[in-house]
Amino acid sequence: MEDLQRSTGVTLHVRGGEVTIEGDEENATLVDRLLRQMVGMARSGTPIHPGDLLRALEVMRREPRVDLRTLFEDAVVGRTGSGRPIAPRSLAQKYYVDCLRRHDLTFGIGPAGTGKTYLAVAMAVRMLTDKRVRRIILTRPALEAGENLGFLPGTFEEKISPYMRPLYDALHDMLDVQKVLRMMEQGIIEVAPLAYMRGRTLTETFLILDEAQNTTPEQMKMFLTRIGMGTRAVVTGDPSQNDLPAGKRSGLGHAMRVLRGVDGIAFCPFSAVDVMRHQLVQRIVLAYDRDDVRRRGSQPRRHELLGEVNGNSDAGEVPAAEAEIESPGPANGHGH
């Protein structure tokens, strides 16, 4: 109640099962619609989690006539290890999930914590379960390792494991750990550095490239040309979190320019309002964006690079493609 009152300026009074809303007509009407829909979903058995109320409020501000059930009940995976379904929690996530279902290649572009990789892994698990693909391959550039990789103790798998940890975490949230291990032993699930993709043609596979902003244009082209018959590919990344050496082009920014307008490819932009972590993370992302604007002056802002979600799956709708994103150098970027 306190968060809702602070966000809308209304005052809420609760007596038993009755809620009285005081405030200006616009915000009072907004809160009334929000509470009626959320209570209706809760009564029908839809799980409501901390933070969902404010996320739903943001959705209704953007799209006043939205039916929240179309988001919260659109489960990608029915139940996770914690017993809750995985479903979109923002308009951008809903658009992203729809694109993952329809397109052979989808780009999820935006800040950390917006669910780009998590939802992609969820869709991969769903398609594997439905036998629409035969295996899942999760990959990312192990850029931070560099020459230091050889000095780390342990086997090669132990050395690269820290860079693949976010992908393992997502898998383990959706599948039993022992089941994941068995599927990896059988080659049904593979988690590997991007370099392992070279020379392969992958059919009936769900491919996910994470942290794509740390690829070079050559690496990105190599990954995209691995796509074989019956394969679905997803590329995720945040152009503002670039660990490439200063002056080196990002393969993600290059692909956004080169692939604009190509049939079968969707670009899905996310912004700070789509961050699904602690509310503080949204404010942190916005603060860093404002600082970037101050330091870069006339250079494009994040929202100018990524465009706005407009419900159109045409890649040509993303003005970001005009700009190849250069690395800001060591002072600006670290992976998330």
Side-chain angles (χ1 to χ4, degrees), residues 64-86:
R65 299 185 180 277
V66 69
D67 181 358
L68 293 175
R69 292 179 188 272
T70 63
L71 271 72
F72 286 74
E73 296 183 359
D74 183 16
V76 180
V77 173
R79 286 289 183 270
T80 64
S82 61
R84 61 183 176 84
I86 297 174

Side-chain angles (χ1 to χ4, degrees), residues 37-321:
Q37 289 202 39
M38 297 296 280
V39 168
M41 288 191 297
R43 284 176 173 165
S44 67
T46 300
I48 306 296
H49 304 285
D52 282 349
L53 198 64
L54 293 184
R55 292 183 190 118
L57 175 66
E58 188 62 38
V59 168
M60 295 196 81
R61 277 176 167 159
R62 288 184 166 195
E63 187 57 58
R65 299 185 180 277
V66 69
D67 181 358
L68 293 175
R69 292 179 188 272
T70 63
L71 271 72
F72 286 74
E73 296 183 359
D74 183 16
V76 180
V77 173
R79 286 289 183 270
T80 64
S82 61
R84 61 183 176 84
I86 297 174
R89 284 298 190 268
S90 72
L91 292 176
Q93 285 196 349
K94 171 64 174 170
Y95 175 70
Y96 183 53
V97 166
D98 288 342
C99 287
L100 292 175
R101 290 180 174 130
R102 295 196 308 261
H103 294 272
D104 291 333
L105 174 59
T106 299
F107 285 78
I109 307 159
T114 51
K116 305 181 300 294
T117 303
Y118 193 79
L119 286 172
V121 173
M123 186 61 69
V125 170
R126 178 60 180 268
M127 290 187 67
L128 182 66
T129 302
D130 292 346
K131 301 188 185 307
R132 296 175 60 189
V133 296
R134 292 187 297 108
R135 57 182 171 171
I136 299 171
I137 296 182
L138 310 161
T139 185
R140 64 189 302 189
L143 179 66
E144 298 89 341
E147 294 180 356
N148 295 326
L149 190 64
F151 297 101
L152 294 174
T155 64
F156 181 73
E157 288 73 17
E158 291 170 335
K159 293 175 183 179
I160 66 168
S161 181
Y163 304 103
M164 304 297 154
R165 191 74 256 167
L167 301 176
Y168 285 119
D169 289 344
L171 277 174
H172 292 160
D173 199 28
M174 299 166 205
L175 297 171
D176 177 75
V177 174
Q178 293 303 317
K179 185 173 184 179
V180 171
L181 291 174
R182 287 195 303 272
M183 295 174 89
M184 293 182 71
E185 290 173 357
Q186 297 165 1
I188 298 173
I189 294 178
E190 181 180 343
V191 182
L194 181 59
Y196 274 36
M197 299 298 104
R198 188 173 300 279
R200 304 173 67 179
T201 300
L202 303 167
T203 60
E204 297 181 23
T205 301
F206 201 106
L207 272 173
I208 300 175
L209 171 58
D210 191 30
E211 300 287 358
Q213 74 277 0
N214 288 333
T215 64
T216 64
E218 294 75 21
Q219 288 174 323
M220 178 64 76
K221 180 181 177 182
M222 180 271 292
F223 172 81
L224 295 177
T225 53
R226 300 309 95 198
I227 299 174
M229 297 298 295
T231 287
R232 191 70 55 94
V234 184
V235 176
T236 68
D238 179 2
S240 73
Q241 298 290 318
N242 189 329
D243 295 302
L244 291 167
K248 201 171 184 69
R249 287 191 305 171
S250 166
L252 179 60
H254 183 256
M256 291 164 66
R257 178 179 65 82
V258 170
L259 299 177
R260 182 175 61 172
V262 176
D263 289 340
I265 300 177
F267 289 91
C268 301
F270 293 86
S271 66
V273 298
D274 303 306
V275 172
M276 296 294 126
R277 296 175 183 170
H278 193 286
Q279 291 289 318
L280 182 60
V281 177
Q282 289 188 6
R283 297 194 287 273
I284 290 171
V285 171
L286 289 171
Y288 272 92
D289 281 351
R290 287 193 295 270
D291 182 65
D292 284 342
V293 171
R294 285 195 296 269
R295 287 188 296 105
R296 298 187 184 190
S298 61
Q299 290 191 19
R301 304 183 186 190
R302 182 197 298 272
H303 71 269
E304 292 168 345
L305 288 171
L306 300 184
E308 295 294 333
V309 175
N310 55 18
N312 190 328
S313 62
D314 185 356
E317 295 297 324
V318 182

